[in-house]
Structures are given as C-alpha cells and as structure tokens.
Amino acid sequence: VFRRSLSTFSLLLFLLSLALAYQPVKVRYGVHKEKVRIVLDLPKKVPYRVFTLKSPYRVVIDLKSPSLRIKSLRLPKSFRYKVGKHPWGVRLVLLTPRAYKPKAFYVERPTRLVVDLYRGKARAVKRKKRKKVFKPYTIVVDPGHGGRDPGAIGYGGIREKWVNLRIAKYLAYYLNKDPRFKAVLTRRGDYFVSLRRRALIAKRHKADLFISIHADAAPRKNPRARGTTIYALSYRGAVSTKRKLVKDSRLARKLLSPDATDYRVRYILSDFGVRATLENSTRLARLIALEMKRVLKREVHFKGIRRRNFLVLKVPGTPAVLVEVGYITNPTEARRLRSPRFQKKVAYAIYRAIVRYFNFKPYRGVYLVERSLRRSKAKVAR
Ligand SMILES: [Zn+2]
C-alpha cells in the first residue's frame, strides 16, 4: 500500500531537480572508408568511458557529468540507439549492425569527444580484461514500511512490513550472488525509514534501478480482492503536468524557477533523460510481469501494469518500479506471502527481470537456486 496524495507535488519536485542548470550535448557522425566517426560536442571536458558489448553488438559511451543532456542526435541510418540518464551522467548506447573497435579521444577548441569505430573485431584478450574491471550495476531494493509503520495488516494478522522485508532480502541475496549486480537495501530490519530518505539512499548509491516491494490490502479487508500489480513512473502524468506548466507560466515560475519561460519549461520536459527514465521504468515493469508469470505460473493472478507518480519512485534519472506482490487481506494470497518458498520465487522472478533488463543472460550460480526451487516444488506435489 502506498500514499497517493503526494503525487503531483512529488512530480514537480522531480522536475525541479532536472531544471537545475543543464549542459547540452550534440551528437553527429561522419562515415569514412575504414571507420565511422561519432563526434560529441561537449560544453567542457568530462570523464568518459567507451566500451563494446556483443549479442547484440553495442558501443556504450558513458559521459560522467550529471548536468549533461543530449540535445540533438544524428547517427548513421543502420544504427539504433538508447539514451539513459543516470545520477552520474549520461549513457549513450549505440546498437550497431556489426562489431566495431572503438578509439576515443578529445579534441579541443571547441571541446569534442571523438569516438572512431573501426571495422574489425575486438580481440578476445581485450574482452577478458574488460570483464575484470566491470563495475556492477547498483540495484536499490526498497522493502515498504517498517518500524512504527506496519503497512497493511492482513489475514491472520500478517503484517505487510514483514512480508516486504522478506522478499526484499531474498531479492538482494540473488542479486549479490551475481557478480554483475550489487544490491543495496533501504532498510535491513524492522525500523522506520521515511520515503524521502529511501529516495536519498538511491541517489547516494547512484542507483541504476530502484525496486520497491509492497503487498496490497483491500478496503474493509474484503477477502476476495486479489492479484499482483506493478507500478511504473507515469509518462502521461509528466505530459499532463507539462501542459499545465506551459499554459500557466506563473505556476511554472513558482515551481521551477523565477526565469522559467515557456520555452525553458518545454525544453526541460521534452528532455531525453526524463523520457528515457520513464520508458525504462515501463520496460522494467513489463519484464517483471513476464518473469513473474513464467516463474510463478498459476500462483500469481496478474492485475496489470499501472503508471503513477509517487514519492518513492521519484529518484531523478533512475528507472523505478513498485511491485504490489499480492493481497495480504486475501486468505489464499496471505498464505502464499507467508511462505518462504513463494517469497523466494517472487524474488527470483524479479531478479530474472533485472537480468533481462540489462540484456544479460542469467548467471549460472543463480540458476542453481532455481533448480533447488524446482525440487522443493516437486516435493510439495508428492
Ligand atoms: Zn505498502
């Protein structure tokens, strides 16, 4: 269960944080005989990282400066791309039709980062080296409620805060077993943590993803209400707020900044970063839905994906979802939510979704856990 009343206010805060001085980046290209040259026009020299991935072939360009925004982007027709806004800066992923060997360097006056993509495969030796320096993705796992805030009280007195923590801990366990991830819990025991503090934890750890775990309760504890709902940050909400702000310049000045002209508001809201964050939240929500259906099968009644703006999801630049795992007011679902086997399965499904989100294959060490789950299921069936 979560609070809705703060929604509009929290979205505005979200936008406010984005309104802080941005610095535009232009991306253009040139095709030469032996290479494709990608040129990034930058306002200043910033730390960067360029590396490649395969299946599918990708060239990843990380620009480490939180104030950068990609303003315009021109790329060869055969390239597709994704832009990700992160707390540390901007990630541009080029999906290339073939393997390229990148070489990056700066050119001054004006400042440009040149990334030359040479045809020809990167050598296997180099790839091994890269694996060693791979920095794991930080996933912030947020068990709802805690301490003096018990969340919903369900069938047989089961408490939401307890269920949330159990599932979150299993999820952190799976993630930490996989060297490609690092899980950070917003609380590790039964104590109170404010919503603002949870968002701050994500910001401090430069979270790549934020996942909040909750369980639902029906009004008047109606025992028939059931099902799983996943919430992603709302794009439509952002668009309607945009309209409101563009129409009402006095409100915009008050909420964004004293010099928030219509142009500025429009610019902020059409920002690539905002759109990428919202789209990535929805993509993650869809993957969680798919994996929950795959792992839990008939044990999950899926109600759908909804989009909403709420405070815990307001981590600028970090795609975020909130999972209402089931109804603790429903006797059947309460029994499942209480069982460690079910809790593990839910956590495992979310782990699988995260793996797919980053276009990874499941890690072998975590696959073993899935096998042990299958065994325990077989035991139950007997
Ligand atoms: Zn809740």
Side-chain angles (χ1 to χ4, degrees), residues 116-332:
D116 280 338
L117 304 176
Y118 290 92
R119 296 165 221 279
K121 284 177 187 172
R123 277 187 209 119
V125 185
K126 277 198 172 167
R127 206 172 300 125
K128 255 181 202 166
K129 257 190 201 160
R130 209 178 301 120
K131 257 182 193 165
K132 265 184 201 158
V133 295
F134 183 83
K135 195 177 153 285
Y137 288 102
T138 304
I139 316 296
V140 170
V141 183
D142 174 51
H145 313 280
R148 62 181 145 94
D149 169 18
I153 311 283
Y155 182 81
I158 179 175
R159 283 162 180 232
E160 189 199 342
K161 63 175 182 180
W162 175 81
V163 171
N164 299 344
L165 184 64
R166 290 294 298 263
I167 294 171
K169 280 198 164 173
Y170 283 128
L171 176 56
Y173 169 81
Y174 288 132
L175 287 168
N176 287 330
K177 254 186 113 101
D178 186 329
R180 298 167 299 186
F181 302 110
K182 193 186 101 197
V184 174
L185 284 160
T186 54
R187 72 176 171 96
R188 324 190 107 263
D190 184 16
Y191 49 84
F192 180 79
V193 183
S194 72
L195 296 182
R196 198 164 298 277
R197 174 137 196 84
R198 291 165 199 260
L200 266 171
I201 291 171
K203 209 175 165 184
R204 187 165 12 98
H205 286 271
K206 299 180 167 50
D208 293 296
L209 290 180
F210 184 89
I211 295 170
S212 199
I213 310 281
H214 283 252
D216 236 327
R220 279 170 279 113
K221 298 198 177 183
N222 173 11
R224 272 174 302 186
R226 63 174 185 139
T228 304
T229 313
I230 301 174
Y231 293 90
L233 205 57
S234 157
Y235 180 57
R236 233 179 281 166
V239 171
S240 79
T241 308
K242 169 185 167 177
R243 279 199 207 107
K244 231 180 272 165
L245 287 175
V246 170
K247 242 191 252 162
D248 190 343
S249 59
R250 235 174 62 197
L251 181 73
R253 276 199 299 273
K254 203 167 134 195
L255 291 164
L256 292 170
S257 84
D259 59 345
T261 59
D262 287 358
Y263 164 75
R264 205 175 146 80
V265 173
R266 240 174 272 137
Y267 183 83
I268 291 160
L269 284 151
S270 64
D271 177 57
F272 261 125
V274 182
R275 217 159 50 198
T277 305
L278 299 173
E279 278 165 11
N280 286 340
S281 299
T282 309
R283 188 169 150 252
L284 177 62
R286 275 202 209 105
L287 289 169
I288 293 176
L290 280 171
E291 287 299 326
M292 280 184 82
K293 280 183 215 162
R294 198 191 72 88
V295 173
L296 292 149
K297 300 203 174 68
R298 265 181 302 174
E299 281 179 288
V300 65
H301 170 77
F302 199 69
K303 283 178 74 177
I305 295 169
R306 292 185 193 161
R307 290 171 190 84
R308 197 155 283 159
N309 306 301
F310 35 103
L311 199 61
V312 283
L313 296 192
K314 185 205 62 105
V315 187
T318 304
V321 296
L322 187 149
V323 185
E324 294 273 10
V325 178
Y327 276 82
I328 61 172
T329 42
N330 176 304
T332 312

